[in-house]
């Protein structure tokens, strides 16, 4: 705590623009047994030269998630016409750095093109559309995706299935079907269910456990569950509680990962909030490190310059470990400590 406070003070005073660290986030993560520490990115940002220089820094990032350009509206904007250029650009960048790729995402209620949401489908025709989409996209990236987020955000907060065109047309079996189509197209990719607000346990987490069991019972392959970890500062569960939740999933024989972490702050961010944010990020990392089968930790972009948060939560921001000027915040050292590294 004291360390964070003094760091925040130094940052505010401009005396320590780049907190020196003993190791980078990915170096610390892999040293302590995770597969990677990584970040999401998106195509518009790839023209920002200083941004890309840090994105390429494998001491911090051993993994990249494709933030938008593998979603359905980007990859199949009109039926059976596929567009991979933007997704390819992100995957190629990661491959050029030997960074693992989390591919994101195949079946989601959001960012669907109109031809999907307004189609007049039957169970059979929409199943065929979903199979074609998954098969073409996963085959295109075959061998290049360490993980695929196959189904994203299929649950409401109360644990019921979220309404979407797939649920209303096909029923809950769209989930195991999606996993089986993805497995057929790339047997080596780790296939994930990915959602937010699973981190507190309760009805939604229980329903996610049921999804894992349902996919397994259907005889389909599911390898992991992604905990998105989108939080407001001060609401992050303590690391022991989160570790218990994560373990309830690994007990089913799947791995887990923190997939989209950010911790938003009401603006302007106070020094106290930045210190709390550092502790919160540290608790998340510590929970993952403490669970056998928690394989990696990804933040949802690395800099406040490109966070989705201010656009969706007016008055909030500062959610990431680097500020808008690409300067490390106290959260960076919080993460590093949670990953067992040493902040200098
Ligand atoms: O592609 C259009 C572009 O043609 C248009 O000119 C522009 C005008 O606003 O919008 C562009 O679409 C935007 C899209 O990102 C691509 O940049 C959408 O408006 C915008 O809503 C969309 O936001 C994305 C959001 O998912 C959509 O729900 C965020 O960038 C992305 O970070 C966010 O990521 C999600 C994960 O996929 C799932 N979990 C939650 C996470 C945060 O919301």
């Amino acid at each position: 705590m004291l360390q964070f406070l003094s760091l925040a003070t130094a940052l505010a005073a401009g005396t320590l623009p780049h907190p020196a660290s003993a190791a980078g986030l990915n170096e610390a993560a892999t040293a302590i047994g995770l597969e990677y520490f990584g970040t999401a990115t998106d195509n518009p940002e790839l023209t920002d030269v200083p941004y890309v220089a840090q994105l390429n820094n494998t001491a911090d990032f051993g993994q990249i998630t494709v933030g938008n350009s593998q979603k359905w509206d980007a990859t199949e904007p009109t039926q059976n016409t596929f567009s991979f250029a933007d997704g390819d650009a992100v995957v190629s960048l990661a491959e050029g750095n030997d960074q693992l790729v989390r591919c994101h995402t195949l079946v989601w209620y959001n960012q669907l093109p109109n031809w999907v949401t307004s189609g007049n489908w039957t169970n059979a025709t929409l199943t065929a559309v979903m199979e074609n989409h998954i098969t073409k996209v996963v085959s295109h990236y075959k061998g290049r995706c360490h993980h695929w987020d196959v189904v994203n955000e299929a649950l409401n907060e109360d644990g019921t299935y979220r309404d979407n065109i797939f649920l209303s047309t096909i029923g809950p079996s769209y989930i195991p079907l999606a996993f089986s189509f993805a497995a057929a197209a790339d047997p080596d990719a780790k296939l994930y269910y990915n959602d937010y607000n699973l981190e507190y346990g309760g009805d939604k987490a229980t329903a996610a456990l049921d999804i894992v069991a349902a996919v397994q019972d259907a005889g389909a392959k599911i390898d992991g569950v992604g905990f998105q970890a989108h939080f407001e500062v001060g609401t992050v569960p303590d690391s022991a509680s989160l570790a218990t939740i994560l373990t309830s999933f690994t007990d089913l024989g799947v791995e887990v990962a923190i997939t989209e972490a950010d911790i938003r702050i009401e603006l302007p961010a106070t020094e106290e909030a930045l210190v709390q944010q550092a502790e919160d990020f540290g608790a998340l990392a510590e929970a993952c490190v403490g669970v056998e089968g928690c394989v990696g930790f990804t933040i949802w972009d690395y800099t406040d310059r490109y966070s989705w948060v201010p656009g969706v939560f007016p008055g909030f921001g500062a959610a990431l470990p680097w500020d808008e000027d690409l300067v490390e915040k106290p959260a960076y050292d919080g993460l590093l400590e949670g990953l067992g590294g040493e902040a200098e």
Side-chain angles (χ1 to χ4, degrees):
M1 179 74 165
L2 271 179
Q3 185 177 2
F4 291 141
L5 271 174
S6 57
L7 179 58
T9 308
L11 277 168
T15 53
L16 190 57
H18 291 281
S21 303
L25 297 173
N26 184 53
E27 289 173 338
T30 52
I32 206 161
L34 303 191
E35 293 180 11
Y36 59 81
F37 185 95
T39 179
T41 192
D42 199 5
N43 298 79
E45 304 148 30
L46 300 184
T47 56
D48 179 338
V49 173
Y51 169 87
V52 172
Q54 172 58 27
L55 189 66
N56 290 339
N57 178 1
T58 54
D60 282 323
F61 306 128
Q63 176 272 323
I64 299 288
T65 301
V66 186
N68 271 314
S69 47
Q70 290 176 325
K71 292 172 179 173
W72 199 313
D73 62 352
T75 51
E76 195 183 3
T78 56
Q79 187 169 6
N80 207 29
T81 300
F82 288 85
S83 160
F84 294 119
D86 282 352
D88 289 353
V90 177
V91 172
S92 297
L93 177 143
E95 288 173 341
N97 296 324
D98 282 330
Q99 292 161 316
L100 297 169
V101 181
R102 295 197 81 261
C103 292
H104 174 85
T105 178
L106 295 167
V107 180
W108 188 26
Y109 75 92
N110 202 354
Q111 287 173 281
L112 284 172
N114 279 341
W115 70 265
V116 174
T117 48
S118 59
N120 188 18
W121 310 113
T122 64
N123 184 329
T125 58
L126 188 59
T127 300
V129 159
M130 190 175 76
E131 179 172 15
N132 186 56
H133 179 77
I134 292 172
T135 303
K136 296 274 172 57
V137 176
V138 176
S139 298
H140 177 81
Y141 290 106
K142 186 177 181 186
R144 305 171 75 187
C145 298
H146 186 52
H147 296 172
W148 256 114
D149 285 332
V150 176
V151 176
N152 197 47
E153 299 171 10
L155 293 169
N156 294 313
E157 295 308 294
D158 66 359
T160 56
Y161 287 112
R162 186 194 288 272
D163 189 27
N164 65 38
I165 187 77
F166 308 103
L167 182 73
S168 60
T169 311
I170 301 171
S173 66
Y174 85 87
I175 297 175
L177 281 171
F179 278 89
S180 65
F181 298 148
D186 187 351
D188 295 329
K190 295 267 177 80
L191 304 182
Y192 270 65
Y193 176 70
N194 188 51
D195 212 332
Y196 60 91
N197 285 352
L198 305 179
E199 298 86 5
Y200 304 104
D203 292 341
K204 193 171 186 181
T206 301
L209 288 166
D210 291 345
I211 284 178
V212 173
V215 176
Q216 292 171 333
D217 289 349
K221 184 171 97 100
I222 178 167
D223 299 290
V225 173
F227 286 67
Q228 294 184 6
H230 295 292
F231 289 106
E232 183 178 340
V233 70
T235 70
V236 172
D238 65 78
S239 59
S241 305
L242 179 54
T244 300
I245 306 295
L246 295 173
T247 303
S248 68
F249 284 82
T250 58
D251 283 348
L252 291 183
V254 291
E255 60 187 41
V256 293
I258 305 296
T259 53
E260 306 186 8
D262 52 29
I263 302 177
R264 61 187 176 273
I265 294 175
E266 191 164 9
L267 300 174
T270 62
E271 192 172 293
E272 187 185 6
L274 291 170
V275 169
Q276 181 65 50
Q277 184 187 50
E279 294 191 350
D280 289 349
F281 268 117
L284 288 177
E286 198 178 304
C288 181
V289 165
V291 172
E292 177 86 34
C294 188
V295 299
F297 194 117
T298 307
I299 48 180
W300 202 244
D301 224 313
Y302 73 86
T303 161
D304 296 333
R305 186 180 292 185
Y306 296 120
S307 173
W308 69 293
V309 167
V312 175
F313 295 96
F316 284 80
L320 293 165
W322 279 258
D323 73 11
E324 293 192 5
D325 297 322
L326 308 183
V327 175
E328 294 167 9
K329 292 153 62 176
Y332 181 95
D333 279 356
L335 277 167
L336 199 55
E337 288 186 22
L339 294 167
E342 272 181 44
E344 280 178 354

